[in-house]
Amino acid sequence: MMRKTDFAFWTFLLMTVLAGATTVLNVSRTYSATSPNTELYKQLDLFGDVLERVRSDYVEKPDDTKLIESAINGMLSALDPHSAYLSRKNFRDMQVQTRGEFGGLGIEVTMENQVVKVVAPIDDTPAAKAGVQANDLITHLDDEQIVGLSLEEAVEKMRGPVNTPIKLTVVRKGVDEPIEIKIVRDVIRINAVKPRIEGDIAYVKVTTFNEQTHVNLVKSIEEMKSKIGSKLKGYIIDLRNNPGGLLDQAIAVSDDFLERGAIVITKGRNNEETQRSQARPGDVADGMKIIVLINGGSASASEIVAGALQDHERATIIGTRSFGKGSVQTIIPLGANGAIRLTTARYYTPRNRSIQAKGIDPDIIIEQELPEDLKGKLGVKPRGEASLRGHLRNGDTEEEISGSSAYVPQEPEKDTQLQFALNYLRGKVTAPPPKAEQAEQKKAETQTDSSK
């Protein structure tokens, strides 16, 4: 059995490696009372004692790797909701997400009644070319049943090296027998930018900030600009329910619409860690009017873009208060041991506003009415950083405000925020008065009615 001193030494060595140290330190159980790290060493001994006791006395033989990973993750998650340990698999998954491309089939899937259901095949991908259809139910992969697997497990099986084959067995409505579809995996690119033309307005939905976002956004705007021509009245950048992503992509997207000035300021623990990102000349929208849509699901990188364009008065922000995640996470690789995601800075808008646990307030507040069948359900309740346990406090003020609803109707005609934005750009509506002014007006009307 490993001795307590061995555990203490090993634990401290592990912590030293995680901190990026380049020297190996010898640790003894005899501590100097004047050492500034005495208490830390004692706590590491405590960790070693507990770990030894768990390994020797727990009712079942524990997995040492899982014990250590859980301990590391517990340490990081205790800091704030966004710091975490990433296992090798989770690190790979995160890299796929941020790169925006992977080896796979090209289908969007969901889980319905414990069965993997195709939401839609992505255009010009192996799945679309092979004939996979929306609402197909996938029951087997390479003749192996996947009913009962989690969605993540099923997706992991469908992804794989480019040019490798896979066979899907699907059940399709209106077809009596299951259908076998053979597909060869290819490079699938996640297009985070979904443009469409709304008559005389160019609309762009940005779903995340991965490595492809800036390039695809510029390309989409140029194409729509060319198609609409001289009738173009402006742009709508829809960041609702966009959870964020890469900081450099948020900076690049903001820069796409700004000619000069600061975009975002990041401040670490020490003053010398403060960094300021500046815009370069060039506006892809040629100075035309821009509306940015946000809601309670707009977080992090989305808030950087909204805050930068708002502070420079380059865009009108419409919707409801954003999520309020004003912190920056750095991914620190640990070689074969995965990585850690560590909060290393807070970010501030160009006017030095911290939105941590506060969010971005729209210039024009437009609430989206919830359908009766969704009212009171957990998934559509207001969302915000301030509601997360252990969140970082706002360093500038004690005032913290919860987020807002993240509900967006699938049908554009039922989308109150989008319809207002379209009419606002066309000059058909004007901004409603602030809520406080509305309340005073309603109070005055009530007093007038009672006096009659």
Side-chain angles (χ1 to χ4, degrees):
M1 181 180 294
M2 191 177 293
R3 294 172 298 138
K4 292 182 181 180
T5 37
D6 296 333
F7 268 106
F9 173 77
W10 183 88
T11 305
F12 182 70
L13 180 59
L14 170 67
M15 305 286 275
T16 304
V17 171
L18 289 179
T22 57
T23 57
V24 177
L25 304 180
N26 291 317
V27 181
S28 169
R29 293 181 72 90
T30 303
Y31 307 126
S32 168
T34 59
S35 171
N37 292 323
T38 297
E39 189 59 35
L40 173 62
Y41 297 156
K42 289 181 179 178
Q43 294 300 318
L44 289 172
D45 269 347
L46 172 61
F47 176 79
D49 291 341
V50 173
L51 181 59
E52 181 182 18
R53 182 63 66 182
V54 169
R55 294 180 76 245
S56 63
D57 295 350
Y58 186 64
V59 65
E60 295 179 355
K61 181 176 174 57
D63 184 318
D64 290 346
T65 300
K66 287 185 178 180
L67 287 177
I68 298 302
E69 286 186 358
S70 298
I72 296 171
N73 201 36
M75 173 180 63
L76 293 169
S77 61
L79 298 173
D80 67 81
H82 308 294
S83 294
Y85 169 71
L86 303 175
S87 66
R88 281 186 293 180
K89 180 184 178 303
N90 290 338
F91 185 32
R92 288 197 305 268
D93 291 344
M94 187 220 65
Q95 290 174 311
V96 166
Q97 183 179 358
T98 56
R99 279 200 308 268
E101 63 180 40
F102 55 90
L105 310 180
I107 50 177
E108 296 180 20
V109 293
T110 187
M111 185 67 77
E112 187 174 286
N113 298 323
Q114 295 188 330
V115 178
V116 177
K117 180 179 180 179
V118 177
V119 176
I122 302 172
D123 292 340
D124 299 321
T125 62
K129 294 173 183 176
V132 177
Q133 297 181 12
N135 299 317
D136 280 350
L137 302 177
I138 303 174
T139 61
H140 294 73
L141 295 174
D142 286 332
D143 296 322
E144 182 181 341
Q145 182 172 312
I146 62 169
V147 176
L149 293 183
S150 68
L151 184 61
E152 292 76 16
E153 289 170 333
V155 168
E156 184 71 17
K157 286 181 176 292
M158 286 186 275
R159 289 179 179 173
V162 173
N163 294 326
T164 57
I166 187 172
K167 182 172 70 174
L168 275 63
T169 303
V170 304
V171 174
R172 184 173 296 166
K173 187 175 181 180
V175 179
D176 294 334
E177 297 294 326
I179 302 170
E180 292 186 351
I181 303 175
K182 294 182 178 179
I183 305 175
V184 177
R185 296 179 179 92
D186 200 351
V187 176
I188 307 301
R189 291 178 174 83
I190 305 171
N191 193 348
V193 178
K194 300 179 180 179
R196 71 170 182 262
I197 293 174
E198 293 278 355
D200 51 2
I201 293 171
Y203 168 90
V204 183
K205 171 70 175 175
V206 182
T207 59
T208 189
F209 287 86
N210 61 30
E211 292 179 7
Q212 318 292 327
T213 300
H214 158 65
V215 172
N216 289 336
L217 177 68
V218 173
K219 179 182 177 182
S220 298
I221 286 180
E222 293 293 350
E223 289 176 353
M224 289 190 292
K225 190 191 306 183
S226 176
K227 290 179 180 177
I228 300 174
S230 59
K231 296 186 295 183
L232 180 63
K233 283 189 167 61
Y235 298 87
I236 295 176
I237 310 299
D238 191 347
L239 299 180
R240 292 174 298 176
N241 294 343
N242 182 322
L246 298 176
L247 175 62
D248 65 338
Q249 289 294 306
I251 293 171
V253 168
S254 302
D255 194 9
D256 289 335
F257 304 104
L258 295 173
E259 294 280 3
R260 64 183 67 84
I263 293 175
V264 65
I265 304 162
T266 59
K267 300 179 182 180
R269 182 194 298 182
N270 305 311
N271 290 334
E272 59 268 22
E273 295 172 351
T274 299
Q275 296 183 349
R276 180 187 299 263
S277 300
Q278 296 288 133
R280 298 165 297 178
D283 178 359
V284 70
D286 301 319
M288 296 196 72
K289 290 182 178 179
I290 298 173
I291 285 178
V292 174
L293 296 177
I294 62 172
N295 66 4
S298 306
S300 195
S302 300
E303 295 171 295
I304 289 175
V305 175
L309 299 186
Q310 184 181 54
D311 278 9
H312 287 287
E313 299 181 357
R314 180 62 189 92
T316 302
I317 313 300
I318 292 177
T320 55
R321 185 185 301 112
S322 63
F323 189 84
K325 180 182 175 292
S327 60
V328 178
Q329 282 68 47
T330 300
I331 304 299
I332 305 173
L334 302 174
N337 296 314
I340 60 173
R341 181 176 63 234
L342 189 66
T343 300
T344 54
R346 288 181 169 89
Y347 73 76
Y348 295 74
T349 70
R351 292 182 180 173
N352 209 32
R353 293 184 294 154
S354 170
I355 59 91
Q356 173 62 20
K358 290 179 64 177
I360 296 287
D361 286 313
D363 300 307
I364 302 174
I365 298 175
I366 300 294
E367 301 279 356
Q368 178 66 53
E369 184 71 20
L370 282 177
E372 288 297 327
D373 60 328
L374 290 182
K375 288 182 177 178
K377 288 192 175 181
L378 182 63
V380 292
K381 286 185 177 180
R383 303 168 59 183
E385 176 83 3
S387 64
L388 299 180
R389 178 181 294 180
H391 67 271
L392 288 177
R393 297 294 175 181
N394 188 299
D396 293 344
T397 175
E398 292 300 317
E399 181 186 11
E400 294 185 351
I401 309 172
S402 61
S404 61
S405 170
Y407 173 69
V408 177
Q410 291 185 350
E411 305 88 345
E413 62 274 10
K414 296 180 181 180
D415 190 338
T416 305
Q417 295 163 337
L418 172 61
Q419 293 303 318
F420 180 89
L422 292 169
N423 290 325
Y424 186 77
L425 279 176
R426 291 168 180 151
K428 294 182 179 180
V429 296
T430 56
K435 281 192 170 183
E437 188 176 327
Q438 292 180 38
E440 287 296 324
Q441 183 178 353
K442 188 173 182 180
K443 181 179 178 182
E445 290 173 354
T446 303
Q447 290 175 344
T448 303
D449 290 340
S450 63
S451 64
K452 289 182 180 179

